[in-house]
Amino acid sequence: MSNPLQRLCLLERQTQQQRSWLDAFRRSSRTVAIWSHGCTTGRSTSPITWSSSSLQRGYTTQATKTAPKSYRTRHLQFTKGEREPKPRQLPQLKFKNLDEIIEIYDGLTPTQKSLLSDSNYFALVNQLRTQISLEKFKPEQQRDRSIPERSLALGERIASDLRNSHLSKVGPSTFVLLTLFTETQTWDAGNKFWAWLREQNDIVASAKAYSSAIRMLAAQDTDLAEIKSVYQEALSRSNANFVTYHFSPASVLPDRTQEHQSGIDELPTSLLSSIIIARLQRGDTKNAYLALDTLLRLKPRGVALAKHLSEILPERPLIEAWALFAMSCRTKVGPANLAFRAIISLVKPAVTLEDRNRHVLVIRAMLSAAYMQAGAGGVLVNNVISEILIAVTQIMRLDGASNLPADQRELLASAVHEVYESMSVLFVKLGVTPSLSVYHSAIVNFAGQGRRKESMTLALEHAEALGYKPTIITHRSVITAAGQLQDVDTIASGWKSLVEERARLNQYPDATDAHILTKAALLADKPEFARAMLAEMTHLDTAEVARVVSRIVESEETRETEALPSRALVEDILTDVGRLNEDVKVFQQYIDRGESIDQLAISGKLPMTLTQISDKIVLPEAEMHRMYDELTTDPTSLPILPESTSPGSSFDPQTNESSPSIPIATLRYENWKTMNYLLEISQRSDAAYNAAVDEAIAMGKRPPTRAEMSAVGEFKGVPVGLSDFKDGGGLVTGVGGDEVLDDMNGGLNFGARQRILELRRIEDQP
């Protein structure tokens, strides 16, 4: 007890001494201030004003001489900081055009440039990136090519000012210029700037700067060995031992149950993201996926993965890209819009009107991707959702469906239209407005192919309700559908509206308009109507009009009569449409009930893969947990979790549905299993790609890209719709219970264990 009492007494004495010193300091300071005030103004009764200068003069007293040195130092630094010029603040740049931005920067004096703050510099360069990006996505005829050129010219002037130390206040954000040069592929300026940047101090040449440099070098087809050296240099400039260890695939975490851990959260994971992309672009798939596995172990929520997913997906075949996208969604960090676009772009080419089953299968896959994007908190992009809706309307144009008897056609049109309507309502509830092209497709396919005139009226009303104005394409769609309906009055009104719209735009109907009108009139058995309408178009070459009409008439007369499809074909399509309708209902149920996507994923209620998981890497769950523990913990410092408390074993999807999120340890474990799957299928993908490249070279053809190697046939017949998984189970095949274990090997399936160890064997890691 004596030691605590002694420490307490000592603290009390020190406190009393500090108080005595502070009282003496205040009295002395007040005396000096009053004396100074009296000397300059004589005796005065005006109130004394205290300032930092009077306090500073008080340091000459005896009290300040005995004050703690640290206190005097802090006070002097504070008063010195007050006298230093503040960083220059630029006006708000967000709503400025490029001319105004250039005028603002070029109007800065050398002194003002030297005081430009780091945050203002960051906003300035990002605004240049925005200006270039906005111009890039404009239609070709509306682009101003001078904007990218002038933006880059300003960027190069800023880079020159940085190299010449004119922007002395700019520090950690310096790297953003590298991003600008990379996005615009301005390699000379980028390489020159990087050569200067890497020679600066660690604040300027930060991990983010090295990450941006790796991305720039990778985009230039730089050799992987050189990129590795830059990566190693970045590690050496960080907390080398700590960072290098935790960036190694063999590293272990102090605590797998915590998402945020001291030291781990500060790791420069942007470096890992950059080297992953560089490796994937150069076909170093295994090491790239091992690095990705490390990234997801450190940051299981996958923020870095979600951010850069749009660059990773196009580098891999569809089956791998799908697993990556689904894994990112499972983390509940919504992938960026570009990532959602990327996965739909990989799936969409499989849409074909010739293969009826594949067409609907692909629509179901796209709908599943849309749910995972929405469930993870991502944004459903308007144009992408419109592509899904258009694909639904095109079911009416499938091979054989366009030549059905009236009763079967009506049956199919009714079923498809029901799916289309329910899907449209669902997406509108989620804040997605279908584009006008969706209604054009609905007019042509439901009203025309389906012979449902009310669908035309409904589509036009919905488009008007959303604020869309009829366009040339709208009128063409109406004429096309009216021809199939054999409705001459609607053809006439549609043509009149088209001519009026052309006139409003100071245009005349062109050859395409004439072709559409002629074909519609022929379908309505009124070819003379087309001739009469076109005869009024004096701007058209009459000989050319005659040739157009004759060509269409001949094609209609010589077309062979197609055999009527059987009822079995209609029933086959209706079965697929029925499954699609069930998918929409499940989508709606999950949204209404607020289901957590990560819980659905680990319960096997989402299509996380497009292929069945090979039994070569499947172990019974208890053994898989044990192997995961062995590989992700250090037995000398961390005990292997017992079976009853291993990550994820406490989560029961049947009894814990109300839990807001799965435990972070469970998410790490699920990510680890998904990486096993990716490592396994990537070996087959790479082998197939290399064989295709060799074959193309031997035949003198252009080698295919990895994205072109996405064989949709690989997952044909595999469940991809939400309704296929509503009861759970997933796609795991192979061993299903402990009874298949090899008792002679201690209850372990050494075939699968050895395969996983082989896949995870470290090779040539930087």
Side-chain angles (χ1 to χ4, degrees):
M1 295 294 292
S2 59
N3 288 338
L5 288 174
Q6 289 175 358
R7 286 198 297 270
L8 181 60
C9 292
L10 179 62
L11 287 173
E12 287 179 348
R13 286 197 299 272
Q14 290 176 346
T15 303
Q16 288 295 335
Q17 291 174 358
Q18 292 289 339
R19 287 177 177 172
S20 299
W21 171 84
L22 186 59
D23 290 341
F25 172 74
R26 287 174 177 170
R27 287 193 301 271
S28 300
S29 298
R30 180 176 175 83
T31 301
V32 172
I34 292 173
W35 179 81
S36 301
H37 186 76
C39 289
T40 54
T41 61
R43 294 189 178 184
S44 174
T45 58
S46 60
I48 298 172
T49 58
W50 301 98
S51 66
S52 61
S53 59
S54 64
L55 290 176
Q56 190 174 356
R57 286 194 297 271
Y59 277 117
T60 60
T61 66
Q62 185 65 29
T64 57
K65 293 179 181 179
T66 60
K69 185 176 181 181
S70 60
Y71 183 91
R72 296 200 309 272
T73 302
R74 287 198 304 270
H75 187 74
L76 289 171
Q77 288 175 347
F78 173 76
T79 55
K80 180 181 178 182
E82 284 186 325
R83 295 193 299 270
E84 288 182 353
K86 295 182 178 180
R88 167 76 179 181
Q89 298 297 317
L90 294 180
Q92 179 61 256
L93 299 174
K94 186 175 181 180
F95 302 105
K96 303 288 185 183
N97 60 38
L98 181 59
D99 291 329
E100 293 171 324
I101 294 172
I102 293 174
E103 183 179 356
I104 289 172
Y105 184 80
D106 288 345
L108 296 177
T109 64
T111 302
Q112 289 173 330
K113 285 184 178 181
S114 68
L115 297 177
L116 186 69
S117 68
D118 188 72
S119 59
N120 272 187
Y121 161 82
F122 185 81
L124 173 64
V125 178
N126 270 343
Q127 192 58 26
L128 294 180
R129 293 171 60 197
T130 300
Q131 294 284 333
I132 295 172
S133 178
L134 289 175
E135 205 63 30
K136 178 181 177 181
F137 287 104
K138 286 182 180 179
E140 182 71 28
Q141 62 274 16
Q142 298 179 15
R143 293 179 189 172
D144 183 353
R145 299 187 183 280
S146 69
I147 287 181
E149 294 173 358
R150 290 186 294 141
S151 297
L152 285 171
L154 178 57
E156 293 186 27
R157 291 200 297 277
I158 295 173
S160 176
D161 285 340
L162 282 166
R163 289 193 296 269
N164 293 316
S165 302
H166 295 162
L167 302 176
S168 56
K169 294 289 184 181
V170 177
S173 298
T174 307
F175 73 92
V176 74
L177 259 182
L178 276 181
T179 306
L180 171 66
F181 293 140
T182 301
E183 290 172 346
T184 57
Q185 298 185 358
T186 313
W187 306 130
D188 289 341
N191 292 332
K192 183 178 180 181
F193 186 66
W194 167 238
W196 169 83
L197 183 58
R198 72 192 305 180
E199 300 298 328
Q200 307 309 302
N201 60 42
D202 291 346
I203 296 176
V204 176
S206 61
K208 289 184 177 179
Y210 273 88
S211 176
S212 298
I214 290 172
R215 303 279 291 281
M216 182 185 71
L217 294 172
Q220 297 181 67
D221 295 329
T222 306
D223 186 71
L224 184 58
E226 182 177 343
I227 295 176
K228 287 181 188 178
S229 68
V230 175
Y231 178 72
Q232 285 282 23
E233 183 180 315
L235 294 180
S236 65
R237 296 187 68 161
S238 305
N239 187 352
N241 293 334
F242 185 78
V243 175
T244 302
Y245 170 74
H246 281 289
F247 280 8
S248 167
S251 63
V252 298
L253 291 173
D255 187 353
R256 295 177 302 174
T257 65
Q258 299 297 319
E259 180 173 2
H260 301 289
Q261 302 179 52
S262 178
I264 302 298
D265 287 349
E266 290 75 33
L267 287 170
T269 51
S270 61
L271 281 173
L272 267 180
S273 300
S274 298
I275 198 66
I276 288 168
I277 294 171
R279 286 183 177 280
L280 286 175
Q281 289 174 339
R282 281 150 185 77
D284 189 11
T285 311
K286 179 176 180 177
N287 286 323
Y289 279 157
L290 287 174
L292 178 57
D293 180 65
T294 302
L295 178 62
L296 292 173
R297 182 168 61 253
L298 298 171
K299 302 290 181 68
R301 288 294 175 198
V303 176
L305 172 63
K307 182 179 179 182
H308 302 296
L309 201 59
S310 59
E311 298 178 65
I312 296 176
L313 297 185
E315 300 299 330
R316 302 308 302 166
L318 174 59
I319 54 175
E320 291 179 43
W322 182 276
L324 287 165
F325 176 80
M327 180 170 60
S328 178
C329 291
R330 184 177 57 203
T331 64
K332 299 178 75 172
V333 178
N337 297 348
L338 291 176
F340 182 47
R341 289 179 185 271
I343 194 65
I344 296 297
S345 297
L346 288 172
V347 176
K348 185 184 174 184
V351 174
T352 170
L353 300 180
E354 287 74 29
D355 190 331
R356 296 182 292 273
N357 299 114
R358 180 190 289 186
H359 183 95
V360 180
L361 182 75
V362 170
I363 296 174
R364 299 182 70 198
M366 290 195 290
L367 185 65
S368 295
Y371 170 71
M372 288 191 283
Q373 172 78 356
V379 176
L380 295 178
V381 186
N382 174 290
N383 291 342
V384 176
I385 296 303
S386 296
E387 290 178 5
I388 299 175
L389 291 171
I390 290 172
V392 172
T393 68
Q394 290 175 338
I395 294 176
M396 296 303 303
R397 304 176 69 86
L398 292 177
D399 186 30
S402 58
N403 196 31
L404 292 170
D407 59 333
Q408 296 183 36
R409 182 173 58 241
E410 173 60 29
L411 186 65
L412 179 61
S414 177
V416 176
H417 193 269
E418 179 185 353
V419 174
Y420 164 80
E421 283 293 322
S422 58
M423 198 180 291
S424 298
V425 171
L426 171 62
F427 288 134
V428 169
K429 286 182 178 179
L430 293 173
V432 182
T433 303
S435 64
L436 184 56
S437 59
V438 172
Y439 299 104
H440 295 159
S441 186
I443 291 171
V444 171
N445 292 310
F446 291 132
Q449 293 288 343
R451 312 295 196 270
R452 292 165 55 94
K453 187 174 181 179
E454 62 273 17
S455 296
M456 179 191 300
T457 304
L458 196 62
L460 292 172
E461 289 175 353
H462 286 174
E464 183 179 3
L466 292 174
Y468 290 122
K469 301 294 184 183
T471 65
I472 299 296
I473 306 300
T474 307
H475 302 309
R476 286 177 176 177
S477 301
V478 169
I479 294 170
T480 300
Q484 293 176 298
L485 289 166
Q486 297 185 333
D487 186 342
V488 180
D489 292 337
T490 303
I491 294 174
S493 62
W495 178 254
K496 180 182 177 183
S497 299
L498 188 149
V499 172
E500 291 173 351
E501 181 66 17
R502 287 287 192 189
R504 189 182 69 80
L505 299 172
N506 295 321
Q507 298 173 357
Y508 292 105
D510 58 18
T512 303
D513 299 329
H515 183 278
I516 289 172
L517 173 64
T518 303
K519 190 165 185 178
L522 289 173
L523 289 172
D525 200 21
K526 297 290 184 180
E528 67 281 359
F529 174 79
R531 287 191 174 93
M533 291 294 101
L534 294 176
E536 298 176 4
M537 301 294 102
T538 56
H539 67 283
L540 292 175
D541 184 352
T542 54
E544 177 61 25
V545 171
R547 282 194 294 271
V548 169
V549 174
S550 299
R551 187 165 60 249
I552 295 175
V553 170
E554 291 173 2
S555 65
E556 291 296 321
E557 290 177 348
T558 58
R559 187 178 62 178
E560 296 182 2
T561 303
E562 297 179 4
L564 293 178
S566 65
R567 180 171 293 275
L569 181 146
V570 179
E571 292 176 351
D572 187 32
I573 299 176
L574 286 174
T575 299
D576 290 338
V577 171
R579 294 194 184 102
L580 178 59
N581 197 25
E582 285 298 313
D583 292 344
V584 177
K585 292 178 181 178
V586 173
F587 192 135
Q588 184 67 66
Q589 290 171 5
Y590 287 166
I591 295 297
D592 292 343
R593 296 202 301 255
E595 296 280 6
S596 179
I597 187 171
D598 53 356
Q599 293 181 6
L600 292 173
I602 71 167
S603 303
K605 294 184 177 181
L606 291 178
M608 300 298 292
T609 63
L610 293 180
T611 61
Q612 293 185 331
I613 299 175
S614 171
D615 56 5
K616 294 180 180 179
I617 58 170
V618 174
L619 287 166
E621 199 63 9
E623 299 301 334
M624 188 70 85
H625 275 306
R626 185 174 291 115
M627 185 174 186
Y628 169 70
D629 290 338
E630 292 172 2
L631 295 179
T632 59
T633 58
D634 183 358
T636 63
S637 59
L638 294 173
I640 296 179
L641 296 176
E643 182 177 325
S644 60
T645 59
S646 58
S649 62
S650 61
F651 178 80
D652 182 357
Q654 302 301 320
T655 60
N656 198 23
E657 286 289 335
S658 61
S659 176
S661 184
I662 63 174
I664 201 68
T666 302
L667 183 58
R668 281 192 169 102
Y669 171 63
E670 294 295 329
N671 288 341
W672 180 83
K673 288 198 299 184
T674 301
M675 292 311 304
N676 289 341
Y677 168 76
L678 284 167
L679 286 165
E680 205 274 333
I681 63 171
S682 64
Q683 281 195 352
R684 290 189 282 120
S685 299
D686 286 343
Y689 173 74
N690 292 333
V693 170
D694 292 341
E695 182 180 353
I697 293 175
M699 298 178 64
K701 297 181 179 179
R702 179 186 66 84
T705 64
R706 292 184 183 272
E708 291 172 346
M709 291 296 294
S710 299
V712 180
E714 290 187 24
F715 70 89
K716 186 174 180 180
V718 174
V720 296
L722 295 174
S723 60
D724 296 331
F725 296 84
K726 62 182 179 181
D727 298 323
L731 285 177
V732 179
T733 62
V735 295
D738 292 341
E739 67 277 3
V740 300
L741 296 180
D742 184 355
D743 293 330
M744 294 184 65
N745 289 320
L748 301 179
N749 183 341
F750 272 93
R753 285 176 59 83
Q754 289 302 115
R755 179 59 177 156
I756 293 172
L757 291 173
E758 177 188 343
L759 292 171
R760 289 183 166 274
R761 186 174 296 118
I762 301 172
E763 297 176 1
D764 188 30
Q765 276 286 332

